[in-house]
Structure formats: structure tokens, C-alpha cells
Amino acid sequence: MQPRVDFISLGVRSVEASRRFYVTGLGWPVHREVPGEVLFLQINHGLILSLWDAGQMRAEAGTDSPAGIPPITLSHNVHSADAVDRVLGEAADAGATIVAPPKTQPWGGYTGYFADPDGFRWEVAFNPTWTVDAAGRVTV
């Protein structure tokens, strides 16, 4: 097995609510869609974000999420602390809940977190020791 991830699939309560948030609210382009079942978004680096009806995901993949907040954090890295503030503002305008306002972290970075309509946590991060180029590629 090669060391890579090609898809990230999130089991969501409502594909339509996720569509409103990610596509209508944040402006992310749809790659492919089966209305009410699954929405595929082509995201950076050739990665696909799959927003999949949670019931169908459970039936096919045998997933059964624990009660409460899904135990995963997705990270969106940016080139500056100002960009963290801007992206968190865009997410809030799209309907996200800011769950941790941006702040300088003990390790020297600047991060904040928002929750999408299903409660999935997104970290928006600036790490001064990493490079994020104009295409969004992160170099550690």
C-alpha cells in the first residue's frame, strides 16, 4: 500500500445541508453528485472530499459513529495569521459555528476551529515553520 490518502469520506446527516454549506456557502466546486446520497468535492492536491449520507455509509462500510462530536479534525493551512482570520470569517458567513476563536498557540502557530453543519471540526492554521505556496501546497 502506498502512503497516500485519495478520499476523505464524512458521514453526514443531510447531504443537502452539507451542499448548502460547502458549495453554496463556501463556494467549493462539485466534482460529482448523486442527489441526496453523496456529494464529491475535488479539493486541493488531487484529494476528494466525499460527503456521504450517514445511513448509507453505515450500511456499506459498517461505520457507527459515537454520540456527540465526530472524532476527526480536518485542517486547512494558510500562509499567514491574517488568512486564518479571513477563512474563519468566510466559514462563519457560510453558516459554520466558530468553536475555538483564533489564537497564538504555544508552539508558535496561529489557529482557530469551526464546526460544519454536522459538527465536523475544521482547523484553520498558520504554522510559521511551514510553507504554503500560491497553489495551496503545504511543505513541512
Side-chain angles (χ1 to χ4, degrees):
M1 181 175 176
Q2 295 177 349
R4 70 169 196 268
V5 174
D6 302 304
F7 272 72
I8 296 173
S9 296
L10 303 178
V12 299
R13 292 182 297 255
S14 167
V15 174
E16 185 54 38
S18 291
R19 187 183 212 294
R20 282 191 303 273
F21 178 74
Y22 287 99
V23 177
T24 304
L26 293 179
W28 291 13
V30 174
H31 178 67
R32 190 162 290 151
E33 178 175 14
V34 179
E37 293 182 24
V38 66
L39 178 64
F40 297 105
L41 306 174
Q42 179 76 54
I43 57 179
N44 209 8
H45 314 295
L47 186 64
I48 300 288
L49 178 63
S50 169
L51 302 166
W52 194 3
D53 175 79
Q56 292 181 351
M57 186 179 200
R58 273 191 299 278
E60 183 174 322
T63 61
D64 194 15
S65 62
I69 299 166
I72 186 171
T73 299
L74 304 167
S75 186
H76 179 83
N77 288 259
V78 294
H79 66 281
S80 70
D82 289 341
V84 170
D85 295 334
R86 181 183 51 76
V87 170
L88 285 168
E90 290 172 3
D93 289 346
T97 301
I98 304 301
V99 295
K103 68 177 185 177
T104 301
Q105 299 296 340
W107 47 267
Y110 184 74
T111 68
Y113 290 81
F114 70 84
D116 78 356
D118 283 277
F120 289 107
R121 285 349 194 217
W122 280 85
E123 173 193 36
V124 182
F126 165 63
N127 185 326
T129 65
W130 296 1
T131 302
V132 180
D133 70 15
R137 286 184 293 270
V138 178
T139 304
V140 178

